[in-house]
Amino acid sequence: AMAAISARWQGNEALRRQLQQLTTLEELPAITIPQGLQATLRDYQQQGLNWLQFLRHSRFGGVLADDMGLGKTVQTLAHLQVEKEQGRLTKASLIVAPTSLMGNW
């Protein structure tokens, strides 16, 4: 029973540091646009890339959501390209998008 209790609390300090980081964070770290991305990000799309990278760095799951047509796909492509250029993406990725967007890409 004691082993189970101590196993439950392993990583307590790491969690405490993450929570401290979240409560004191005033601005997301700016991520350099990946060289392989052949697109220009608008300011809010750059913020989306920053958010996705922050989630990855913090090992959190999350959602990127806004009104339709504001560029979630390009933000996701930018995120995947950062991951690829940093050597963290070694397998194929799949983006599911409406067929009406295929002409844009």
Side-chain angles (χ1 to χ4, degrees), residues 22-76:
L22 285 174
T23 59
T24 60
L25 185 70
E26 293 185 21
E27 189 171 323
L28 293 173
I31 302 300
T32 303
I33 295 175
Q35 290 184 342
L37 184 70
Q38 297 179 14
T40 302
L41 297 181
R42 298 182 179 113
D43 289 343
Y44 62 88
Q45 293 168 332
Q46 174 70 53
Q47 284 296 98
L49 173 59
N50 297 347
W51 171 246
L52 291 170
Q53 285 293 301
F54 171 76
L55 291 174
R56 184 213 45 88
H57 175 76
S58 301
R59 297 188 319 200
F60 291 136
V63 174
L64 182 62
D66 59 25
D67 292 337
M68 189 171 172
L70 293 180
K72 290 176 292 297
T73 304
V74 75
Q75 293 170 67
T76 303

Side-chain angles (χ1 to χ4, degrees), residues 3-20:
I5 290 170
S6 78
R8 223 181 316 169
W9 291 103
Q10 287 179 354
N12 187 26
E13 274 308 309
L15 181 57
R16 192 181 315 271
R17 282 192 304 274
Q18 273 190 308
L19 290 173
Q20 179 67 26

Side-chain angles (χ1 to χ4, degrees), residues 89-102:
L89 181 65
T90 58
K91 296 181 180 178
S93 298
L94 174 68
I95 293 180
V96 178
T99 56
S100 61
L101 293 180
M102 294 304 110

